[in-house]
Every structure is written in structure tokens, then in C-alpha cells.
Amino acid sequence: MTLLKLDNLKVHFPIRGGFFRRVVDHVKAVDGVSFELQQGETYGLVGESGSGKSTTGKAVVKLNEVTSGQILFEGRDLASLSRREIKPFRKDIQMIFQDPYSSLNPKKRVLDIIAEPLRNFERLSPSEEKKIVQDFLDKVGLSPESIHKYPHEFSGGQRQRIGIARSLTLKPKLIIADEPVSALDVSVQAQVLNFLQDLQQEFNLTYLFVGHDLGVIRHMCDRMGVMYRGRLVEEGKSEEIYENPQHIYTKRLIAAIPDLEPEVREDKVQLRKKLTSEYESTYSKYFDENGRAYDLKPISSTHRVALQ
Amino acid sequence: MWKFILRRLLVMIPQLFLLSIIVFMMAKAMPGDALSGQEINPRANPAELDRIREELGLNDPWYQQYIRWASNAVQGDFGVSYTHKTPVMDVIEDRLWNTVFLALVTLIFTYMLAIPLGILSGRYNDTWVDKTVTGYSYVGFGTPIFIFALIMLFVFGFALDWFPSGGSVDSKVDEGTFAYVVSKINHLILPALSTALIATTSTIQYLRNEIIDNKIKDFVRTARSKGVPESKVYSRHIMRNSFLPIAAFLGYEITGLIGGAVIIETIFSYPGLGQLFLSSVSLRDFSVVTAIVMMTGFATLLGTLLSDIILSAVDPRIRIE
Amino acid sequence: MKKAILQIENLTTSFRIGNKYHAAVDDVSFTVNENEIVAVVGESGCGKSALALSIMQLHNKQRTKSEGNINYKGQNLLKLNDVQMNKVRGKELGMIFQEPLTALNPLMTIGKQIEENLDYHTELSNAEKKNRTIELLTQVGIPYPERTYKQYPHELSGGMRQRAMISIAIACNPALVIADEPTTALDVTIQAQILDLLKDIQSRTKMGIILITHDLSVVAEVADRIVVMYAGQVVETGSVKEIFNNPLHPYTRSLLNSIPSAANEKNRLHVIEGIVPSIAKMDRIGCRFQDRIPWIPKHAHEETPRLHEVGNGHFVRCTCYKAFYFQAEGDASAHDITKIR
Amino acid sequence: MEMKVETGKNIQVNDVSPSGMKIIWQEIKKDKLAMGSLIILAAILLFVYGASFFMDAKEIAKVDFLSIYMEPSSDYWLGTDYGGRDVFGQLIIGTRNSFTISLFITLFTAIIGLSLGLLAGYFGGATDNVIMRVIDFVIALPQLMFIIVVVTIVPIFNVYVFILIMTMFLWTGKARLIRSKALSERELDYIHASQTLGTPHWKIILFQLLPNVSSLIIVNFILNLAGNIGLESSLTFLGFGLPESTPSLGTLISYARNPDVLENKWWIWVPASLMILVLMLSINFVGQALKRAADARQRRG
Amino acid sequence: ACSNDTEKSSTKEKKGKDVEQVDTSKFPTKTTNQGEPIEGGHLTYGLVSDTPFEGILNKVFYQGEPDNQVITFFDEDLLDTDEDYVYTNEGAASYEISDDHKTVTLTIKDNVNWHDGKPVTGADLEYAYLVMGSKDYKGVRYDEQMALIEGMEEYHEGKADKISGIKVDGKKITFTFKKANPSVTTGLWTYPLHKEYLKDVPIADLESSDKIRKNPIGFGPFKVKKIVQGEAVEFEANKDYYRGEPKLDSVTLKVVNPSIVVKSLENGDLDVAEVLAEQYEQAKELDNVELLGKVELAYTYIGFNFGHYDKEKEENVMDENPKFGDKRLRQAMAYAINNEEVGEKMFKGLRFPANSVITPNFKYNNKDLKPYEYNPEKAKELLDEAGFVDTNNDGIREDADGKEFKINFASMSGSDVSEPLARYYIQQWEQVGLDVELQDGRLHEFNSFYDLLKKDNDKVDIYQAAWGVASDPDPSGIWSRSAEFNYTRWVSEKNDELLAKGISEEAFDDQYRIDTYNEWQELIHEEVPVIPTLFRYQLAGVNERVTGYDYLAGRQYQWHNVGVTK
Ligand SMILES: Nc1ncnc2c1ncn2[C@@H]1O[C@H](COP(=O)(O)OP(=O)(O)OP(=O)(O)O)[C@@H](O)[C@H]1O
Ligand SMILES: Nc1ncnc2c1ncn2[C@@H]1O[C@H](COP(=O)(O)OP(=O)(O)OP(=O)(O)O)[C@@H](O)[C@H]1O
Ligand SMILES: [Mg+2]
Ligand SMILES: [Mg+2]
């Protein structure tokens, strides 16, 4: 069942300039992205910095204005809804943020942080509220006494778990996770990733997982899309992308992942060298004259690539 | 760059327009007018005063007066000062230069004091040098400027008699000579120094904090890692970056001094804009009052612009296309 | 036997917090040889940067105390005064910082910042300096060196900035370059380029490199030897092959097991409980890692953990590694580990 | 007049954590100067407000020709002025008035600055533009001159009017400060999080943003409080201050305009000058300690 | 300052004589140094002002008093005055009045020449009238007396291009008046304009022209050598001066801030400068400075508000039931205040109780009148009599109808002591049981204050103000029924009658005029529409090296006599 479908989504930010600071151009942060998320799966978005991954994610939760295109959530187009109309959907779509430090209000106690969404949507007595919050804390592996603490009393991983607990309280169907572990140390990162997987099973969640660490994405995601300059250049099952990358950008991306086996390092250097020259020689195969990637074309039932 | 300046100048037009209306209405709202000073002169003829009022248009509704005034002002004609019986611009001109000189010299003194002290205090923070400088700047912060200026006047103007106690120049020297310039400067030193000694304290603290902030920046560490000697680390890296915000304040600072000259000019009987403003307010010489406020307002706007330009000149990160 | 460039012996660096000194680098020793990359790895806060800055003597002298011996060309760097040290810094030892944007002076052109290095260590004329700078920029793979020479840091992309940073560090052909997380702020693709570049330069100049990172895969990619640090101490050290094939210290093993990668795809990742203790609160007696592996019995730890040589230049701190098994593996793996031993 | 506190510089306040009060208190305890200042300040204020409660303002304002310019004595602890009025009494009431004025000006400017700054910073865009243009405009006004003209215009001139007039011109610095802080704060994810959680804007501003700019406000508030104490003295000096019937520290100090007083009758102006100095400094020291408490980097130890 | 405000008004101060009644021996009026002036002497004159002078260096145009002080060094009126401010024939011109008192003829002496060597002629004086009467003239010097000259009004209204009542014949000039008015002997305009020099400049532009501001030409003892705008003027001796060569070679006039006058006198920066009351005590102590004093042409008073000015009818109208209708109330208020003490203590003896509204420098001052002396008992008695008694025992008297009686007192800010003075009066009235409050709780700045009076603001019940008086003793300008400046709005038939008598043709007889004004002053004294409070001394500090300086009122044209001995 399709839970979320992005159809030719575009998010352009104006660049002002000229004499009267008129809009002279646009940053095409997201420029015609389409993909679907099935209920219960984890879909990964990778790409280099500035490729529009976060912007896509934020557009879904309406943190960004959508320039054009559709965001169909259970068949309703979120992009066309007003602020008021979107409110009921807020329950269903939640976001986990990258920075566990800035995403929790340092002046609020854990109770207030986690209960904030509850207070917006439900009328609960303080004791009910407290109980729910403690339940969720328990789920993410924090002690119930934590409700009276402040964020700075927790480590990065714990904070991230508080953020996750907050996003779970409304029992959302879809969670947008924007690089939820990239600010964390490896050891802590593992903890959070494990949790995300456990929770997915427990609540039957669907994740849109944004990240730049291909190892993490591969570990987490069933399917993934590779973004490059606001466009998807390749999409498919994780194995397909990793084992059989088709787009030159995807190839380079994968070749750049450092390998844990010291023995193969020479080969990888050679591979990268080879890809660089391949990139130069086959550029027009992948990008049109404006340097824009072509539209996706299916090469198998699950695998799509942006080729001429 | 030119586009930017031009745009900013354009933006000033509505601001100046609004300012002019406010200024004009406020001037008119002050009780009395330029002729009321004559109303205690038993020989003055009230009917005659009314005739003059009528003739000067003082009896018209304010908006008519405003339109008349504004349309002339646009062409640089701010009318005639009633008290001085001469075009306002003539009255203001001399005083303006005096005030500008005073402001410049004050600025020079301020920076002459602030820069070395700020650097010392920032570089050797938490040492006795820093504590002394900081102590000084706190005392400066808590001292009302006019009391300080009065004391300076009495000590250096009279008790020691090192400096003249009023005016802008010695009447005996002739314009254009070297002695004239010396005399002008001699008259400026005391008021400028008095202001500088007090006003400098905020700059000192500012500079000190900047230096302390910059000292621990990564690029300073990079410089050290290159083997740059400590003195050069300061002069080439820390100081340049610390002066940045100060340079940016220059524009504001000048206009602040011009606008705030009222007190110091009063104390040192220095014939500048501030003093002219005060006397024009009490004599209800509206044309002068409005002109001065408009000019100072304009100067402030220009100062802001200047600050932005300076900033973009010294800081490559803020490039104005 | 390779020629040793830098020998660090029993280096301890302490910071003053309040009125007490606390060691952030605790009795660290290792050697860097010519044409060798030594990687220092560990979690955030374990003292990697403190170590690097101690070598360069860039700590604030009022609040920091360094003891031990950093032997460079027969002199102990810790004993040098500022003037002598300035002759070494930049010329003999270069440093690359993590955040290239903040590590470059925003008000100076790239060219000037590189030239500054030459100013103090060479006798070159202005024109020669400029030539050398352009040459350096070309060397680090900057496409338009002439233009970049005149640009300011903010006008460059992250990767370009890091290249500029590298050219500053290698400007005087130093014998040793310390790179403190040179790629953490960069994308994977750029990271690969920078790492390739470092290796490339090394192959030409034969310099030694201390590469500081928290990313083990980066280490696997480039390093010759590894120094694993935990809470200020070296917990394990050895050649890359040794460590990756035969990790012994529970900390090293945990790190390797917590990396999501193709190898442990879809499996649950290993989680190291707790965090690195902050230096002021650190327990100075006993094994510092013991709190994070509570299931290992107390007696398995040494009272004053030492580095034990397990052969082949491979050292491990504390004896607890002998008893270590992953919790999920249960006792069975404990057996395994003994087998490895 | 140009007041020296408004450094314009953003006081970089990292998150003062919730146990902020505790940190502040610790910071003050650690800093002997701040602690001493706090004690002195409290003592002065308690004494001044307490004493002025019992003092007969009318009696102090009473002109007495038999005791003009008396030197300090046991009858008149700080002598008398040219109206034969007791300087000590005026000093007490003046300190009270000056402090009250400063407090209210600071309070009102803070309220205005806070509301506009938060609105501009949170919403950004057009709202920000409009508010910033207004601020630019007010800043461009030659303040001292405007104040002088306004003082001449107002038919009634007393403490309240004075406070309002000063507030009219002094709120801009705060608004800018708060705005820039709010502007950077709203880019932080906790604000985004609240938005995605369906929290309405006004709640976000009041309950998320406000607490996070509060430490900035408090520090700025204290420093402003110090700066505003001397505010009215220069106006009084120029003859546009409060009437003598409302003595302030400025009134006493500006008697020194008369060179005879300046030179020979120190008891009239020196105590008031010292009082300003002491008040400003002690408030300032406390403020500095707060600032350190608020800024983790500068915290002592 | 208060005193400055009144100085502004005194347009033409002429000679006066000592007033017997007042102990002016308190201060010498002349320098005591009898030494021989040295050759090539130089003197520095301090023009005391807290603002620069405007630099309109001509009596026809100037506005601020500082400019007037500059003018006296280089320019003069044609007629000199005696001690009673009456014209004499000793000045640059002599005058004659016809038998019908309607024609005045001035004859300018032969050796009176402008600084450029051109003779001063009747046409120059006529030109002054032509300028002041012109439509283009924006100054305030065109007064009622000028309007009495035949043909002047026609000229002023633009109906004639000459003034028919002024005839010029070389150095002679004749004025014909429509009506005889004794004021011509004290208040005739005799200040000429250098027609040759100025005629090319359109009248409208004269006041701003360089010929008036930068290179003024007069016929006084000194020539203007150089002007530092607003700050200082350098003068050099006019060797050709008609009264003889000045004893000084040069004079520097410079503006000094009131606050530093004494200091500047002390260290010899200034030779002559006015000393303000606030600094009297300090100035007294100076060894190198002699203090000269004179009684100023001004008085301070407390006025009652009786009514309003009717713009239509152009006359003052008293209200039906004025608050201060009962003169016993007014007298009581006069008795209740102790001006003696104010003068002694607050002004350190530089002010003294006023007996009348004509200043004691005039022979017209009624010497028989005594100031209302301080007598609170008497005041209470009068109040009781008038029915102002305290009916509810709160210490405050209610009015005759038993209603609450509150008095609003307006006073002007300016000098340091303004506020304590106002408070002092209030305290004293309180002592006799009157509830007086300072209006709006504060003093009013000069303009606001007169704005209140002019508009007959009902909030003002009584006010304290000062008048500077001119050399012409006629008080009509501020006392007559039609005078807009009659701020009390007090009118009475008797008053009208006496004022008219004072300027009738009979009044050319001096004794008649004295009697008339004595009677008028008695009326005022009895009716108390105002309480005259204080007369003032004006002080000058003069360095002991200065000789020949005379500070007395009428002696303003004396700079040629002044020299220095060191
Ligand atoms: N509010 C905004 N206004 C203008 N441009 C924006 C805005 N937000 C994002 N952009 C631009 O849009 C592009 C895509 O940004 P986005 O944050 O989506 O990238 P990303 O893929 O998430 O990168 P990263 O890995 O660094 O988070 C970038 O070029 C960015 O500069
Ligand atoms: N100047 C200093 N004063 C006091 N303590 C410090 C100072 N610098 C570092 N520390 C402390 O020393 C310990 C080691 O810090 P260091 O910066 O070396 O860690 P790191 O391993 O480089 O971490 P990261 O990966 O985050 O860079 C930390 O606990 C840190 O808090
Ligand atoms: Mg992103
Ligand atoms: Mg580090």
C-alpha cells in the first residue's frame, strides 16, 4: 500500500538581487522529484551535501513551501492544504532531526518536550499525560525519572532518543528522519539505529530516512534514492544500488565509501581513478546540456536510473 | 556597489520625508514662535508683530507651511532664520564645520586611546594591566560626561591655563595662516579630549572583548601552527579581525558625535551645531531647528550607509555587488 | 627499519579546571616513521586533539601543562621556547585542522595565508613565494590556482578549503603533518579525494602523517599503523592489518562492531553503553573502560592497566581483553576470544 | 547623552541551562566583585527606598533662606543647596527617583523590544522587514535633539512623562538584539520540531522562543539598568530635565553648572556623582557576572 | 536667564541718574583707577552669553541683546542722553523742539563722519525710517511712536513712497508729528543707516547682507576690523571719532559663557564683563577685579489674572467676577511675602524690594511710595476682613463664599534660583493660609510661559514675570486698555485717564508729567493689579588696569574714554 507519493515535487528558493531586490533567480533545491513509500518500509535518500535531501523531507512536513508538484499522503495532496487544514496530518507525519542538541528546547524538561504534541492534540489530565510520557521513555530505553530532567543532562544518543519519543507520542504513520545519527559518535549511532529498527516493527512505522552515510543507509533501508542537485538520479532496492549502480554519480558515491578492509585499498584507489575518467568521458550520457540529470527510466521493475 | 549605494539612497527618501513631517509638526507644536521673544518688549508693537507673522506665513495651517517649506527644502533651501536674519544654510555652515571638526578630533582621540588600551587589555586579559584598563573604563562608564568636562575645563582651562576656555578660534589670528590652524586645533583639544576620555571606554571594552573572542579562533591557531611569531599573530590575524566591527561602527560613531555634541559644545562655549540647536529651540527659530534635525537625521542615515560600505570594504565576506 | 621522525614518550597533557590539573592525554607513547601514516582513533573527547595540539605546542600555556618527551630530531619539543618552537612549527611540522572554514582567516586571501608560511621559514623573494604558492595549490589539485590565490576562504567550497589548508601545512615540505579529522566536515566523495591526495603527497615527500579521526573505515582506507585512544590513554596500538584482523581490546572491538556496513548488514549493531567520561570526572585508577563493559567481572581488569605486547608491535592495555566477549554472544564467544589469543 | 551600555554587540548567550538560576548564583558567589556589588546595591536600595518612605518630601523641598549653602554638619549631613534645602534628603529621594526612572525605562523598553524583536525574528520576511524599517527610522532620529523638542512640547512634564519619552527612543537597541537572537534561534530544530508538532505560532513564540532569549534579556536588562541611571542627568544639565520638585541625582549633579558650586561646594554634587558611579558600577558588575553565567565560554572555572 | 530676557527688550537705554532712595553706593559706578592710559592699549571685553551672537550688527535689524553690545563699540545713535534718559545736545547731533511740540529738528555736527570718511547726513537718518517703515522690513522696530510721524502710516501701508513728515536738508532733518507727545524727548529713533553704503542692497536683503554682517560701517569710536562669526570681534580705534581719538588702540570682544566669567576675569583673560548674581560671591573675592554696579531698567512682579484680551475690540476686558476682584486679597498677598529677605539672601543683596512699576533710575519713580513690607499679621487681617477665613480648620482659608480657594501660580524657568524663589513665595502664602500651587508642578520655559499669558490660559491665576523697561517712561505699552501686552488684563477708567495725561502735550512740562506718573503709581500701589517685587542691580567686573570706564545706565557711548594703564 502506498503511504506517501511525491509527484514531480519542486521546491525553489528565491534569490534576490538587482536594483530593487527582486527575485532574479531560484535555487532549485528540489527540482522534480517523484517516488513512493510503501507502508512499513524504510526509504533512504542519499546524496552529497546540498543535493536537496533535507529540503525534500521538510517539504513533506510543510517546513518548506512547495513550489509545485504533489505530496500525496494516503491519497490527499498535502502540498495544496492550508496551515489549518494540515493540522490533522501533523499527527500522522513526524520528523526526527539531525542535531540532538538543537532539536530539543534546552529550557524545557523532558516531560514538557515529549508531551508537547499531546497537548496540541489531546486533552489529558496531568497524570495521564505523565503516564504516557513515561511509557514512551521506557520504550526508548530511558528511565521514567528522566521526565524531570533537562536535555543537557543527557548524552547525545539519549537526547536523540528523547526526540524520537516525542515524535512517537502521536502514533504517527510516517517518520521523516533527517540524518538522525550523523552528529553522533559511532558507538552511540549504533544505539539509535537499533532503536529505530525496533520501533519500526513495534509501531509498524514507515521511514523516510535521509542520510549521507551510505553505510548507515544500506543498513537501514529497503529501498533508496540517490539525489544529485535536486534531482533523483537513481532509485531502487538497496542491494541493487550497492551491487549494481548504474548512474555514474551513484558509482562514484559508492566507490568513495571507505572500506573496512585494509587489503582492498589499492583497488579502490584505482577504481576511483577509473570512475573519474569515466565520468568525464560519459558526462552527456547522464546529464543534459544544463547539467541537469535526466528523468528516471526503469531498467527493471524496481530499479530506475536517470539516463538519456 | 554603486547600485547598492543608489538603492540605499533611494530608500532614504521616504525616511527623510517621514522625518521631515515629524520634525515639522513637532517644531510647530512647540509653544510660541520666533516672534514671541518680542512679546515682553514693551516697545514692540503687537499689531506689527502680527503683521510680520502674517507675512512670514506663521499663521497659515501647518500643512501649508509644511508644503511650502518642504518644496524649498528639496531644493536645498531651508528658508531664512528669523533670529539670524539670514538663510539657514549660511547660519548652519560655519557651525557645521566646527562640529564636524570637533567630531573628527574627538574620534581621533577616542581611537588613539581605545586602540592601544583595548589591545593591551584584550591581549593580556586578566592581568593587572587589563584590570587597570577595565577599571578605568568602568569609571568612565559611570561618570556623567558633563561633570567630567566641567572639571577638565576648570583644571586645564583655568587652573593650569593650558587651553583656551571657549570659542573655536582665537580672534586675533588671520584665516588661512598656519597660526589659524594651530589656534583652531588648540580650541578643539579640550572638548575633544573630555569627550574622548569618557566615550572611549565603550570602545575599549568592545575591542577588548573582540580580541579575547578572536584570540581563541581556529584561524589564530592555524597561524600559530605555521610558526608565525606571536607579535605577528596579533598584528596580522587577531587585530585585523577585531577592528572589523569597530571600523563598521565608525559611521555611526561620527553621526553620534555630531548629534550628541549639544552638551560638550554648551560647556566649552564651542559654536557648533549642538549649541545652535539649543539656542534655536529656545528662540523658536523653527527654520534652523528643522534644518538641523533634518541634517543630523540625514547624516545618521549616511553614517549607517558609510558603516555598511566600510564593512563591505574590509570584510570580504560581506560583498556588495 | 624505517627512520623514526617523531617519538612521543610518556606524554601527559593536563588542563587546569578550577584549581586542579586534569590529564586529557595520559602517558601516551608512540612513534611516527618516515613515509608512514599513523592513525589516532577514538570517540569524541578521548583526547585526540589535545594530543595533536601538545605536539605542536599550541595549547594555552597558562592553563595547560605538558610532561614527557616529544623527541623530534633529537630535541624535546616540550623544552623549546616559543621562538625555537616557531622555527619548527610550519617548517618541520605542519598541521591540518578539522573545520577548514574557521581555520582559515576570513579576511586574508588564500594566497596570502599560504605565503605567510613561507614568509617565516624561507628566504624567497615575493615573486618566488607567489610561484611556490601557485605550485602548491596546483599540487593539491585546485583547478584554477591563479584565481584561487586571490580568493577568500568563504568563496571556496568545503573541499577546496581543505585543499588550501593542506597546502598551508605542506608549504615548507615538513617532515611530519598532523591532520586532525581532516575529512569529518566533508562529503564522502570529497573525503575520498582528500585522503587520496594526502597519500599522493606522501608518496612524493615521504613525510610522516599523524591522522586523527574517529572513523575506523577511514583508518582502514589509509593508515599504516593505528593508535586507539580511550579516555586519554592508548588502549591498543599496532599495524592496520593487525588491528583490523585481530582486534583485542574490548573498546576496539566494540567500535568495529558498531559500524553499520555491508559486512554486518541488517544485523543488530553493537552498542557501547555509556559515554567517555569527562576528564574532570574520570576515574584515574583501574581500567577506564570497565564501566562500559559491566558484564566483565572486576577481577578480569588490571589494577593499574599497562600496555601488553601481544607480538608484532601490537600492544593492548589491561588484561580485560582476555575475558571480553560481546554480551549477545554469551559465554561461547568468550571461548572464541581465548582461542584467538 | 549617547549612552554607553548599548554595546549593540550581540551578547552571545549559549544555552543557559535551566538550572540557570543556580549557575548565576554560583557565578556571583565565585566573583567577589559581583558579590560585593550585589550587597552594596541591595544595601543602598533598601536604605533609599526605606528611608524615603519615612521622609517628608515636602519638608526637603522647603526653601529656607536661613540655611543657604551650609556646609555639612550634624543638622545637615551633606549640607544644603542654594535654596537652603537639605542635600542629604535630596540625595535619598533623588537616588530613589533616578533608580525608579531607570528601572521603568528599562522595563518598558524591554517589553517593547521583546515583543517587536520576537515578532520580527520569529516570522522574518515581511514582518521583519516592516519592523526593521521602523527601527532603522527611529535610530536615524537624532535622539537627544528629539528628546529636547519633545520635552518642550509636552504640556505636563513629570516622572511618568519622562519615562515615556525616553522609552520612545530607547527601545530600538533591545528590539534589534532580540531580533537577531530570535532570527538565529528560529533556525534551530527545536522550533522546527514544534512547528511540525502542530504547535501554534503564538505558543511557539511564548513558550519555546521566549525562554531561550530570556538570559539575553536579563543580562541586557541589567546592563541597561546601569546605563539608564545617569540618563536624565545630562538632560537636566541642559535644562530639560525633571523639575526640581522631583529631585533626581541629575538635579544635584547639574548644580555643578555653577562654577562656584563646582569649585567650593562639593557637598552638593560630589555625593550624587559618587552615588551614580557606585550604582552604575555595582549594577554593572552584577550584570557582568550574569553575562559570564550566561555565556558558557566565559564562565569562570 | 531671567535678566537676559528682559535685556532683550530694552531697546534704547539712555542716560539716567542715581536714585537717591536706593543705596547705590553699595557699588561704585566708575573705575577708580586714575592712572594715565598707556599708548596702544588693548582691552578684552567679555560678551556674556551662553550662545554665540547672531552678528546682525545694526540697530535697525538686530534681535538679540548680544548683537547690541557689539554695535555700541562702533556705532551710535545721533542723540546722546542725560542721566534721566532725556536727549541732550552733546552727542553727534543737537535737537530742537518747536513750540507746538509737534516738530523736532536734528542737526548733525560737522565732524561726524562714517568710518569710510563720508559725512553722516540727515538723509542717513531718513533712510533708517524709510527702511523700518517699508513692507520689506521684517524687524520689530516699527513702533507706535513712529506711526505718529506725519505720513508715516501712509508710507508704511504703501500708499506713499516718501514720508511726508520727514524733511531733510543736508545735515539737518526735521520730523513733524501728528500729535504732540512728550516721548519724543526720550524715545525718538535717532540711529541712522549709511545710505550711500547700503542703498544698493534691496531692503529685504539688508539684514542678511555682508555690509551689515561682515563689514559694518558706523561712526562710533572703534572700527570693526575682523569678525569671527558669533564668537569674537576685533576692533581698532577710529582716529577720526568726533569726540576725540579713543584712548585704546584696539579692543577684542569675545563671547564668554556665563559660567566661566569670573574665572576669566580672575586670570586676566577678560578686562570687562558682566557678572551674574550667582557668581557675585566668587567675583567679590577677586583682587584684580573691581565690581561696578548699576540699577537695571527692569522690575520683577507678580501679576494677577483679571480677564482676557478681546481680539475683536482690541482691548483688555476684565472678567465679571475675577478671582482676585477683592483688592484686600491682593494687598494681603503682597504683605505676605518677604522680598527684603529674597533680595538679601537669595540674591545676596543684588536685588531689593520694588516700590513701584517705574524703575528707580527714572525721576518719574514715585519716591514717596514704600514697597509693601513683609507683614504677615497685616496680611491675615486683610484676608479676614475680606472674608477669606478658614472655615473647615484645615489651616487653609476658604473664599468669601466658604468655597475651597486654590491659587495656580505660574512662573518661568531660567535662572538657577527661579524654582526656589517660586517655592519660597508659595511657602509664604501658605503661612498666611493661602493655598497656592505651582502650575503643572513645574516652571515654564520662557516661550511656553508667555504663550500661557498671551492666550489668557484659565489655569493661570497669578504669575511671576519681569518687565524690562525702555528709556521712555510712558507705561502705556503694557498698562493701557488697548495694550495686548497688558497680561493682567487689568483696566480702570482712572488708569486710562492718567496714562493719557502722561503723554499729552501738557506733559512736555516735566513737573506735570512727574505729578501725573506719581499719581498713577499711587493708583497702582493701592489697587495692586501687580505686586512689584524686586529691582535689580547689574554688575560688571572690571580689571583694575582699566581706567575711565563708567557703568551707569546712560553712559553707553563712552568707549572712547576707556583706557588701560598696564
Ligand atoms: N531556506 C532556504 N533558502 C534558500 N536556499 C535554501 C534554503 N534551504 C536550503 N536551501 C538550499 O537548497 C539546497 C538543498 O539544501 P538541503 O538542505 O536540502 O541539502 P541536503 O541535501 O540536506 O544537504 P546536507 O547534507 O548538507 O544537509 C542547498 O543548495 C541549500 O543551499
Ligand atoms: N582547553 C581545554 N581546557 C579544559 N579541558 C579541555 C580543553 N581542551 C580539551 N579539553 C578536554 O579534554 C578532553 C579531550 O579533548 P579533545 O579535544 O582532545 O578530544 P577529541 O578526542 O579531539 O574529541 P573530538 O573528536 O570531539 O575532537 C575532553 O574531555 C575535553 O573536554
Ligand atoms: Mg540536510
Ligand atoms: Mg578533536
Side-chain angles (χ1 to χ4, degrees), chain E residues 12-54:
Chain E
K12 280 178 272 171
E13 299 162 19
K14 305 285 149 64
K15 275 194 179 179
K17 67 168 196 265
D18 292 3
V19 186
E20 297 93 323
Q21 192 196 17
V22 174
D23 179 21
T24 41
S25 60
K26 200 162 171 179
F27 301 103
T29 59
K30 286 193 178 97
T31 48
T32 50
N33 181 353
Q34 296 300 326
E36 198 49 38
I38 50 163
E39 289 279 308
H42 174 86
L43 177 134
T44 310
Y45 178 85
L47 175 50
V48 180
S49 162
D50 45 18
T51 60
F53 61 86
E54 278 101 24

Side-chain angles (χ1 to χ4, degrees), chain C residues 92-203:
Chain C
E92 316 268 344
L93 306 178
M95 177 137 183
I96 301 167
F97 294 94
Q98 170 175 356
E99 221 9 282
L101 181 61
T102 57
L104 292 171
N105 188 336
L107 302 189
M108 261 183 169
T109 57
I110 297 291
K112 285 276 167 287
Q113 298 196 49
I114 300 172
E115 269 179 21
E116 200 180 17
N117 210 352
L118 305 173
D119 286 346
Y120 299 104
H121 303 299
T122 62
E123 307 283 300
L124 301 178
S125 72
N126 284 342
E128 287 167 335
K129 273 188 255 178
K130 181 165 180 184
N131 284 340
R132 168 77 181 140
T133 307
I134 304 249
E135 186 192 316
L136 280 164
L137 287 172
T138 322
Q139 231 178 62
V140 297
I142 283 182
Y144 306 99
E146 302 273 352
R147 192 177 71 195
T148 309
Y149 180 87
K150 290 193 222 94
Q151 279 176 315
Y152 289 93
H154 71 278
E155 295 169 305
L156 303 182
S157 71
M160 289 300 150
R161 278 181 211 134
Q162 197 56 292
R163 286 167 201 263
M165 190 73 228
I166 293 173
S167 43
I168 290 179
I170 62 168
C172 297
N173 287 324
L176 177 77
V177 165
I178 301 171
D180 188 357
E181 314 218 16
T183 58
T184 311
L186 305 174
D187 270 337
V188 257
T189 40
I190 317 281
Q191 165 172 310
Q193 289 168 15
I194 296 288
L195 293 176
D196 290 349
L197 173 68
L198 276 177
K199 288 221 85 154
D200 190 41
I201 294 171
Q202 188 186 37
S203 67

Side-chain angles (χ1 to χ4, degrees), chain C residues 282-308:
Chain C
M282 209 176 318
D283 211 350
R284 307 236 154 240
I285 334 155
C287 179
R288 292 189 185 166
F289 195 60
Q290 81 188 22
D291 287 348
R292 300 181 74 175
I293 40 173
W295 64 93
I296 302 298
K298 274 253 165 352
H299 60 80
H301 298 283
E302 271 181 295
E303 244 168 69
T304 42
R306 292 180 303 111
L307 277 175
H308 304 274

Side-chain angles (χ1 to χ4, degrees), chain E residues 301-306 461-465 488 529-531:
Chain E
Y301 70 99
I302 289 166
F304 298 92
N305 184 2
F306 290 97
D461 295 327
I462 58 175
Y463 64 91
Q464 185 192 206
T488 61
V530 304
I531 308 169

